[in-house]
Amino acid sequence: MLFNSPEFLLGFLPVVLVGFFLIGALGRPSLAAGWLILASLFFYGWWRIDFMPLLLASILFNFSVGRTLARWPTHWLLAFGIAGNLAALGWFKYAGFLAQAVNDLAGAGLPVPQVVLPLAISFYTFQQIAYLVDAQAGETRETSLARYALFVVFFPQLIAGPIVHHKEMLSQFEKPETYRPRLDNLVLGLTAFSIGLFKKVFIADPLGSQTPLAFGPALDGVAPGFADAWFGSIAFALQLYFDFSGYSDMAIGLGLMFGIRLPVNFASPYKSASIIEFWTRWHMTLTRFLTAYLYTPLVMAAMRRRQRLGLPMLKRSMPAVAPFFWLLAVPTLITMGLAGIWHGAGWQFLVFGLLHGVLLVANHAWRYAGRRIGLDWDLGWAGHAAGVVVTFLAVTVTFVFFKAVSLEQAMSVVQGMVGLGEAGPATPRLGGVDPATLGPIEQLLSRLASLPGVLVLTGLAIVWLLPNTPYYISTLAEPVQSRIETTATGIRGWVTALRRSSLLRAQPSVLQGAAVGILLSLALLRALSVAPSEFLYFTF
Amino acid sequence: MNEQEVYQALNEIFREVFDDPTMEVTPDLSADDVAEWDSFNHINIIVASEQRFGVKFHTAEIESLRNAGEFVALITRKRLAA
């Protein structure tokens, strides 16, 4: 069931929510949890009932391994548990791709298995691997199969995250207060959900219809013109953000309605002034996972090894190439390459990840070397703004690989971006002018002046100037995480006064209530009048 | 080694890692306060501290640290246990 479908909005959600609180109000937390598990399984089975056995088997397998690890925390049992998860993921997600790759590269005649990717497998596999690692380290402990099942299948985050730690969910599921209705949670949850639904149906989906400008001709190997390549690619970068952050807002909002705080997944990523900063704000729960379970162990092992051998470490006062390469570049490239492949089985995803790895390494090298060679000018707000724009454009180029169905398609779009396009302008006339008579920059400007162009510019204004949803809904509940707050106002220093006046934060006032009500009504009307489109991350 | 000496030793490590000779480690100092405190420098601090204090940290312990005060508490606990 999609969050933006009528059956979810008008049927599933109200019934599950009312049932949850009725049972909770009777003082039966375990029954309420059971209700949530059943509802979540129904939610999952609505798509394809035949994916259900794998999900249930995965839960049982990991719960058993986790329980054994609690009593017997050996490394080989942990390795067995992780291998089991990776084997399932490998078969369902990568077997076809690997067989094809071996056939292409080595000319072997392996049969290519046609396996359908089970919904959510990448997400629930990662979440449970993290659980096993934490169980082995004694960081978390689970004794109840029902509670463990709820940790995996809790429907707001089952399909596409946020990827949660067992520890942070357990502490909430254990509390009886979670199962009692709270008005502030319901209000804030509905607010986040409304914003997310609005982002999805009014911004992400319409932007999606602009991406064929760049990706359409490229599908047949024809490079689009400069203006079309950039316009379509920027539209996609914005679509992906509004789609996935919209989904995350909805997930976090739904979680709150059920009294559960899910971790923040997006904190205004396009306000980042560097690629290092970007990854602290984009798909934050994936970054957290990769940092904790892949990057940190890799870097620590490399550092300890160099320490043991008495080799030089990476020093800011005296950076050297060898430690930079082994301690920073290699672990970063491995982590980001695997992050790319996690998204999908295809060369274009590997290139997507490696491009980000290269950008991160370059960013670090700049930090180390810039100061040595006197390149660390402080240009104030202008430098910051330039950093934001350059970061956004670099990310836009990498997302071409993310969107493309093949490496060839991505390369055709990139070819168009560097001005080597072969296709003529996609629209014969723009605002009464024949675009073929215009230069590439003029073409891009006239595209931006068209109606879809206004949508793109509005999207850019939102991501650069407005606070993010986690910031907006954070007032009533808890002190704000400083990372969310510091860039919430956008380009540094933007109307700090306005922010202080708390106009831009959720308040239990008539005005704000009405505003959110209008947002939700519009989003609902739209969601119910068009066929619901899938979220982009549901294919991972 | 008392708590003050742990902070003294951390000052040296932080000054080296961030190449900032004036840096002072306080209990509530966190990654949000230092622009270049990214995940790499975080591990840099941890591994330098392992050598300096003769202890070892698990990945999960490193991840859950929220500020320098918690790190000092962890170091003190580990040194007592050792």
Side-chain angles (χ1 to χ4, degrees), chain A residues 6 12-13 68 78 80 165 177 200 210 220 263 292 300 329 417 428-429 450 492 494 518 523 532:
Chain A
F12 181 84
L13 180 59
T68 318
L78 175 63
F80 167 77
H165 284 308
E177 303 96 89
K200 168 69 176 161
Q210 296 305 311
D220 307 317
M300 275 189 85
M417 289 174 125
R429 297 191 87 75
S450 66
R492 198 183 281 175
W494 181 79
I518 292 169

Side-chain angles (χ1 to χ4, degrees), chain A residues 100-130:
Chain A
Q100 188 68 53
V102 170
N103 287 351
D104 290 349
L105 294 176
L110 293 180
V112 178
Q114 299 295 322
V115 190
V116 183
L117 184 71
L119 191 68
I121 185 170
S122 305
F123 284 91
Y124 70 66
T125 303
F126 262 35
Q127 198 158 299
Q128 295 188 97
I129 289 177

Side-chain angles (χ1 to χ4, degrees), chain A residues 186-215:
Chain A
L186 279 171
V187 167
L188 289 174
L190 193 61
T191 302
F193 184 85
S194 306
I195 297 173
L197 185 61
F198 188 88
K199 278 181 177 175
K200 168 69 176 161
V201 298
F202 271 106
I203 311 178
D205 289 347
L207 278 168
S209 65
Q210 296 305 311
T211 58
L213 282 178
F215 294 87

Side-chain angles (χ1 to χ4, degrees), chain A residues 294-528:
Chain A
L294 192 58
Y295 180 75
T296 302
L298 282 173
V299 177
M300 275 189 85
M303 280 189 186
R304 283 173 176 160
R305 185 175 164 275
R306 287 188 79 84
Q307 222 171 36
R308 222 177 25 247
L309 298 175
L311 294 167
M313 304 298 273
L314 186 54
K315 289 201 171 86
R316 195 154 292 265
S317 53
M318 210 175 40
V321 173
F324 182 85
F325 181 76
W326 291 112
L327 297 180
L328 205 150
V330 169
T332 303
L333 287 170
I334 293 175
T335 305
M336 295 314 288
L338 288 173
I341 280 290
W342 173 82
H343 286 91
W347 295 110
Q348 72 276 24
F349 287 108
L350 180 66
V351 172
F352 164 75
L354 288 176
L355 274 177
H356 271 281
V358 169
L359 289 172
L360 284 167
V361 169
N363 197 171
H364 280 287
W366 178 265
R367 280 188 179 180
Y368 276 96
R371 193 186 292 188
R372 309 297 302 164
I373 53 178
L375 277 176
D376 58 336
W377 325 300
D378 186 4
L379 298 178
W381 69 268
H384 186 84
V388 171
V389 172
V390 170
T391 304
F392 175 72
L393 292 179
V395 168
T396 298
V397 174
T398 67
F399 279 148
V400 167
F401 291 84
F402 190 92
K403 156 92 175 159
V405 292
S406 67
L407 208 48
E408 291 73 29
Q409 191 196 10
M411 287 314 293
S412 291
V413 176
V414 171
Q415 207 184 327
M417 289 174 125
V418 295
L420 296 174
E422 303 140 345
T427 330
R429 297 191 87 75
L430 278 170
V433 189
D434 181 358
T437 62
L438 300 173
I441 299 291
E442 290 164 307
Q443 269 187 42
L444 188 58
L445 290 176
S446 66
R447 274 237 176 274
L448 287 172
S450 66
L451 197 61
V454 172
L455 182 67
V456 166
L457 291 173
T458 309
L460 286 172
I462 294 173
V463 298
W464 281 340
L465 300 177
L466 288 187
N468 52 58
T469 314
Y471 175 78
Y472 181 69
I473 64 160
S474 58
T475 342
L476 285 178
E478 270 172 17
V480 197
Q481 285 178 26
S482 54
R483 191 170 288 289
I484 304 171
E485 190 179 29
T486 43
T487 52
T489 48
I491 314 271
R492 198 183 281 175
W494 181 79
V495 281
T496 318
L498 186 61
R499 183 182 60 154
R500 295 244 167 81
S501 77
S502 70
L503 252 176
L504 290 177
R505 299 181 82 178
Q507 300 283 319
S509 72
V510 176
L511 190 67
Q512 298 229 0
V516 174
I518 292 169
L519 203 69
L520 178 61
S521 313
L522 288 173
L524 274 179
L525 280 176
R526 173 119 189 130
L528 298 178

Side-chain angles (χ1 to χ4, degrees), chain A residues 6 8 36 60 93 111 154 249 268 344 361 393 459 482 487 540:
Chain A
F8 180 84
L36 266 189
L60 278 175
K93 192 159 176 165
F154 185 48
D249 290 347
S268 301
V361 169
L393 292 179
S482 54
T487 52
F540 299 143

